[in-house]
Amino acid sequence: MADIARRTEHRYGNRPTMKDVAARAGVGLKTVSRVVNGEPGVTPDTERRVREAIEILGFRRNDSARVLRKGRTATVGLVLEDLADPFYGPLSRAVEEVARAHGALLFNGSSAEDPEREQELALALCARRVDGLIVIPAGDDHRYLEPEMRAGVATVFVDRPAGRIDADAVLSDSFGGARGGVAHLIAHGHRRIGFIGDRPRIHTAAERLRGYRAAMEDAGLPVRDAWVSLGSTDPERVSTAVREMLAASEPVTALFSGNNRVTVTVVRALARHGQPVALVGFDDIELADLLGVTVVAQDAAALGRTAAERLFRRLDGAEEAPERLVLGTTLLARGSGEIAPSDV
Amino acid sequence: MADIARRTEHRYGNRPTMKDVAARAGVGLKTVSRVVNGEPGVTPDTERRVREAIEILGFRRNDSARVLRKGRTATVGLVLEDLADPFYGPLSRAVEEVARAHGALLFNGSSAEDPEREQELALALCARRVDGLIVIPAGDDHRYLEPEMRAGVATVFVDRPAGRIDADAVLSDSFGGARGGVAHLIAHGHRRIGFIGDRPRIHTAAERLRGYRAAMEDAGLPVRDAWVSLGSTDPERVSTAVREMLAASEPVTALFSGNNRVTVTVVRALARHGQPVALVGFDDIELADLLGVTVVAQDAAALGRTAAERLFRRLDGAEEAPERLVLGTTLLARGSGEIAPSDV
DNA sequence: CTGAAAGCGCTAACAT
DNA sequence: ATGTTAGCGCTTTCAG
């Protein structure tokens, strides 16, 4: 009596175990295990008895215990920036599909662009003994993951490279994409082009800025300080930047926006502005086609899929050296990037 | 030698355990456990020695083992329809935030609107012994979860109610929202209004259709069969439906679209159409403000937050009867819903 | 303040 | 074909 009460506390709710099933079916523990795991060496008749007992008791194997014994959890963790950002949804889903194909479940967590939170999350996942980790870095120092990786946690970075460690990374060509997008504006006659991007400590933001500068330099165009604005993607900040660039002594005639969050706000700000201003944005956005917004699109799903495939290849024993894969971007001309400068 | 090799196979990579730390620090196993878990009863000096050993060995507690002993995993599972759908991103993120506040990690999985896959996923999560489950149902029979719930898995359904079992559910007011949206169109003079929605076996789709019919009936307006189209949200299917309703013998002058997926396609289809057609959509969409699309917005984040809070209240021991919470919707008038009928 | 022993539910290895 | 034993890494219990 007291014994039952005591046990109950410790058990998940009050679940039957293989032992209980074995007792009920009048067989040994291992036989139950065999049936549950579809292993051979059980007569149809015993199997039937075991299955009956399972049914009656509502038994379900405790994978926690299994994991402890087997050493693999069939679980991967995905640390991203913000699950609510439409860019990460498809990426996450793509990772999930690959994980599913490999029989693994997926932990998801958002770092909220906070390096500490990223670390906390990644390490919590390691403590749960995920087999692998896919990380969209918020921070720029990932040495904290070295012991984990040495201990066998396969790790792939996506969207941004790891900092201060040598690890797989799957990236979009931010530099090339931005350079191409800005070149597109230049080809349409613009000479004063503004760049509004995310905080420069974010790798992709820095790369896109570099792409902008390269395109300007390629064309022999100067870049005024007033034409470059980096910072948070807060709508307030971005709107102000747009306003200032359009009102400067040498006003820009075109804008390049550094990511989807920025683009959304820029489109809104330009809608309020009287004159037409050309715009190319990095990242595609839903309904951007109807608004005629020209963008440099990256394939978020391909990013996730590629990273996950690489992860599972490593889990399957591949021992290749860490590698950096770069996926191309696509310029989608829809109108806003093809507006000629209004006052040349 | 052989012994080490054998062990290695079984261990997660090759990680040190508390036993290893204890040996290295020259203390007992339990002392390490005390230090790791911040339990009292360890002199500062021993604690220091233990921490050193932990540092040197790169020890990290194996939560899988801990879970097995403690019976709680500090893990919740979220089964949704499609992580890539912009509606579920914010919902998922909201759940995550609540989970985080309670020290729990989050499993995410997509059912792809397939009842079997939903069940497979939910049960896999139960096998991992998640403490709780948040489910956006794809199917309409959730009796398979009864044994799990009895065994102590807290379960809350979101966005759609559970089928054939009594369980908590957090929903948006689909009926009221749709009724209000259609009434809005009627108030602007429309008498022939089309409804394009998702498959009717989806609870929200059925409710929204019911809301449409109620609004029409309230106004004493007939509903022609040709004005109602339910089915997949495939763009092809939806475009065709739009085209047919506009070309019918009694063509509609306004449309109500049943969810975000449908609305996107309808907006595109109407953009290609010559005449202006009024539109109100269920669900808000990014950039819908700029396109002037009037919508009935639901608060996806509130849905997720409310469900997660309820889940954790149950995990903290609340024994209230299962309840159905319904969150209100908001009509956002932006232009498309205020267009007068062109031919009255 | 500290540690040895038992056991969480399962699987691997080895009987029978 | 089936069962028995040991042990995965941790926490709980209880004894020093």
Side-chain angles (χ1 to χ4, degrees), chain A residues 12-13 15 60 63 73 75 82 93 96-97 106 108 110 117 127-129 148 151 267-268 289-290, chain B residues 13 15 60 63 71 73 75 82 93 96-97 106 108 110 117 127-129 148 151 267-268 289-290:
Chain A
Y12 310 78
R15 283 171 172 285
R60 184 151 349 259
D63 280 355
T73 55
T75 290
D82 179 5
R93 175 70 196 270
E96 188 203 337
E97 289 302 328
L106 182 66
N108 260 133
S110 304
R117 191 164 155 181
R128 302 298 171 99
R129 296 296 185 268
E148 308 301 325
V267 170
R268 292 207 173 96
D289 55 333
L290 286 182
Chain B
R15 284 170 174 285
R60 187 157 341 264
D63 280 354
T73 56
T75 290
D82 179 6
R93 176 67 196 270
E96 188 203 337
E97 289 301 328
L106 181 65
N108 260 134
S110 304
R117 190 164 156 180
R128 303 295 170 101
R129 295 297 186 266
E148 309 301 325
V267 170
R268 291 209 173 97
D289 55 332
L290 287 182

Side-chain angles (χ1 to χ4, degrees), chain B residues 232-299:
Chain B
S232 94
T233 59
D234 172 61
E236 192 80 37
R237 204 240 358 136
V238 173
S239 310
T240 305
V242 172
R243 219 177 310 117
E244 289 176 358
M245 287 189 196
L246 293 174
S249 59
E250 295 179 288
V252 302
T253 62
L255 287 168
F256 187 87
S257 54
N259 71 23
N260 62 347
R261 301 293 81 206
V262 175
T263 304
V264 167
T265 304
V266 171
V267 170
R268 291 209 173 97
L270 292 183
R272 286 192 301 268
H273 189 70
Q275 266 104 68
V277 175
L279 169 68
V280 173
F282 208 107
D283 292 334
D284 202 1
I285 312 173
E286 186 149 83
L287 295 181
D289 55 332
L290 287 182
L291 287 164
V293 179
T294 294
V295 299
V296 176
Q298 50 178 331
D299 189 341

Side-chain angles (χ1 to χ4, degrees), chain A residues 154 168 309-321:
Chain A
D168 283 323
E309 278 164 357
R310 182 141 196 99
L311 187 81
F312 281 99
R313 213 171 318 126
R314 286 214 179 273
L315 286 176
D316 291 343
E319 297 272 4
E320 312 137 53

Side-chain angles (χ1 to χ4, degrees), chain B residues 11 18 30 33 62 66 69:
Chain B
R11 304 213 321 199
M18 282 194 180
K30 178 63 205 181
S33 174
N62 183 337
R66 171 171 227 243
R69 199 59 245 247

